[in-house]
Amino acid sequence: MSDRRRFLKDALVTGTAAVLAKPGASAAQSAAPEHKPAVARPSAALAAAETQTPSLDEAPAPDAAHIGNPGSDFMVDLLKVAGIDYVAVMPGSSFRGIHESIVNYAGNVHPQMIVCTHEEAAAAIAHGYAKVAGKPMACLVHSTVGLQHASMAIFNAWCDRVPMMVLAGNIADAAKRRPGVEWYHTALDLGALVRDYTKWDDNPVSLQHYAESFMRAYTMSVTPPMEPVLIVADAELQEQPIAEPHDIVVPPLREVSPPVASPEALAAAAALICNAQAPVIVADRAVRSQAAMDTLVKLAESLNAPVVDLLGRMNFPTNHYLNHTSLQAKLLAQADVIVALEVGDVWALTGNVPDTIHRPSQRRAKSDVKVISISTAYLYGKSNMQDAERYFAPTLPIAADAEASLPGLLHAVQTAQTSAQRNAAAARAQPMREEFDKMRNAAREAATRAWDGSPVSTARLSQEVWNVIRHEDWGLVSQTNFLSYWPQRLWDITKTYQFIGGQGGYGVGYGAPAAVGAALAHRDAGRIAVNIQTDGDLMVLPGVLWTAVHHKLPLLTVMHNNRAWHQESMHIQRMASRRDRHPENGTVGTVLNDPPIDYAAMAKSMGMWAEGPISNPADLGPALVRAMAQVKSGKPALIDVLTQPR
Ligand SMILES: Cc1ncc(C[n+]2csc(CCOP(=O)(O)OP(=O)(O)O)c2C)c(N)n1
Ligand SMILES: [Mg+2]
């Protein structure tokens, strides 16, 4: 075993400080690939063209191949130590050192490259992956140009409180930049491009600095509130041999315990909750694990309190009699105590600003309602991006991670409850069950209304998809706000991994790549993934279909193809109606039907099995069965369905 491999194994097994041993010339050779490179070597001509140099003399010097023990091998070791299995990449020469190290030094496993056709896709894939895998992946971006492309997806992940390691190449030393492109692909302060929506970033100037900053960044990213972080990997650091390997100390990777609510705060919360006549629990980005979902179920059951799932995460089983999400407005209006768990917009639980001409603030809750808010929002925030929502002072604000605080909250409630309160809670069970049954039946009834309609209704589409996945181990990897939440209203979604929430920052273009990232994590867990995919979203980054095929992901994509950015049609119609001018012109600039897009042909062109467009709802079930056969054999498939707007 080479010294380097031993270092890595020690660090992985013990997590303790390790000193990088210097491999000599022979050791450098023993770090040669265990696996053949996954990509063909570029020709000198290609390399020169990529760097836009006028002469082949400027192509990478052959001696680059003989630099043993390059810094980028060490950078890849750090990814291994952090347990990062995948790095999403669109190639770019500012990180060619790391790219080559992943391919040849790591053999393209742990980490493996996920090949992307756009950096925004790379970051959004990492976003979707983290929400299923429960750990971050990395994306590697090409300095100024790559980071700007990735920025939209980093923003979504930041709004969504999702961890991600963004690594960006750069060439700090001006004297080492070749004339031309390398100057454009360097920034003095690269992190400034995304600093408004990353938790932390650094631009290390030595490998020791890199190691420490990498560990600091990783630790901050995975500590609630979880957020993307950026490390700039200087090209010189990547490409030069490590000068004094003995002197480099890899700091240990230590998990930080998340902030937990104090027993006093939880006792105060429990007293309010147990006294309530009409308590309501509202969960948003609260639940990350099945254990937390199970604890939330126990908490709700011990109170027989209805739960409103705002679906930032999959917080509460859809088939549980206390899931009263559809009754949100009525419940919040009647509540005397609201328990808000990682709710992004706590103000909106008691107030509203309607989309009317004067936008008056309105009250939607009782004037004396007591609000308990457990949230990491009290611990972290940035100024520029206005994700904080309107200021609200709850009765009892608790600065803590809801998931980590749930066991304590359950315990506090069970301890505080008097027998009279227990009896009052027990008496709520039957009415809650009846209300739940009424709600589910009403949803089924509503779903049948446009059952045979063509184009296909979103309810029918959702039900047909449910029919083909319900007996599999599956995960829904799309947003359901575009579907009037039909999956939540009709399906039994009982595991936290079966739904991943939304974009975070409502940036369109997240859906398709996040589905691919989530499908990657589901595949590793032996599950299939299903994505009900809107058309406007797919057109932002259609290249992710290729990535899904390239990496053989078991992902069923069902197009919700309403041939429109339909939400925007509605906005223009609303404007025109308000101004008393031609609402029928609301489709100008908001539809995707001239020419119509053939998504099946698009998918096939990238090697994906596909059918459609389907407009007769009776054809949908059999097509889905055929598509599922593909997916179950480990390949992605797409069905294009012409749908009604929502
Ligand atoms: C990056 C970005 N650009 C534009 C918008 C505005 N926008 C919100 S919804 C939407 C339409 C999305 O179309 P589609 O995905 O087909 O969903 P549909 O509205 O048709 O249900 C657009 C363009 C946005 N949210 N994000
Ligand atoms: Mg659409």
Side-chain angles (χ1 to χ4, degrees), residues 291-535:
M293 182 189 262
D294 296 345
T295 307
L296 184 56
V297 167
K298 283 193 194 124
L299 177 69
E301 285 175 353
S302 68
L303 299 158
N304 274 314
V307 176
V308 171
D309 194 344
L310 295 180
L311 294 171
R313 299 289 184 272
M314 182 62 217
N315 295 295
F316 204 76
T318 57
N319 61 356
H320 192 283
Y321 73 98
L322 290 170
N323 190 326
H324 287 215
T325 301
S326 306
L327 304 175
Q328 182 187 153
K330 186 175 123 193
L331 289 170
L332 292 174
Q334 292 171 353
D336 57 357
V337 172
I338 298 171
V339 185
L341 302 172
E342 298 290 352
V343 171
D345 188 354
V346 186
W347 184 87
L349 300 178
T350 62
N352 188 30
V353 176
D355 188 2
T356 54
I357 196 153
H358 296 300
R359 299 191 167 214
S361 295
Q362 296 172 342
R363 183 83 189 171
R364 65 188 296 219
K366 287 183 170 175
S367 58
D368 59 349
V369 65
K370 296 189 169 51
V371 179
I372 301 158
S373 168
I374 304 181
S375 174
T376 46
Y378 301 111
L379 299 168
Y380 168 86
K382 291 213 175 181
S383 309
N384 194 19
M385 298 298 164
Q386 294 287 298
D387 70 315
E389 305 283 350
R390 193 142 169 198
Y391 182 72
F392 181 76
T395 319
L396 189 54
I398 301 176
D401 178 39
E403 152 126 1
S405 304
L406 270 169
L409 182 61
L410 174 64
H411 178 74
V413 164
Q414 287 172 337
T415 313
Q417 234 173 6
T418 63
S419 59
Q421 287 167 340
R422 244 188 298 274
N423 291 342
R428 287 197 284 266
Q430 194 50 28
M432 287 289 155
R433 285 182 197 282
E434 285 166 14
E435 199 71 53
F436 176 79
D437 291 343
K438 240 189 343 193
M439 218 167 52
R440 287 291 258 197
N441 289 336
R444 286 190 197 110
E445 162 65 25
T448 60
R449 266 179 226 148
W451 195 249
D452 296 316
S454 175
V456 181
S457 75
T458 49
R460 175 84 185 252
L461 178 78
S462 302
Q463 184 61 36
E464 295 286 355
V465 171
W466 175 232
N467 290 344
V468 294
I469 63 163
R470 60 192 301 172
H471 300 301
E472 310 293 335
D473 193 4
W474 57 273
L476 176 64
V477 293
S478 53
Q479 313 127 90
T480 47
N481 51 333
F482 291 107
L483 289 164
S484 306
Y485 299 102
W486 279 116
Q488 273 82 13
R489 291 157 72 189
L490 296 172
W491 304 7
D492 291 344
I493 310 182
T494 57
K495 307 270 185 239
T496 193
Y497 65 70
Q498 285 174 333
F499 179 67
I500 59 170
Q503 312 93 326
Y506 298 93
V508 167
Y510 152 96
V516 169
L520 178 65
H522 279 308
R523 181 200 63 187
D524 289 354
R527 300 188 283 259
I528 58 156
V530 57
N531 174 26
I532 301 175
Q533 171 65 49
T534 58
D535 53 338

Side-chain angles (χ1 to χ4, degrees), residues 120 152 156 481-483 503 505-509 533-538 540 560-571 590 592 645-646:
E120 186 179 343
M152 171 65 242
N156 266 335
N481 51 333
F482 291 107
L483 289 164
Q503 312 93 326
Y506 298 93
V508 167
Q533 171 65 49
T534 58
D535 53 338
D537 181 279
L538 180 61
V540 179
H560 165 17
N561 178 9
N562 56 18
R563 293 184 171 167
W565 295 282
H566 179 70
Q567 182 172 301
E568 301 307 312
S569 309
M570 295 192 295
H571 277 297
T590 61
L592 278 156
R646 284 189 190 211

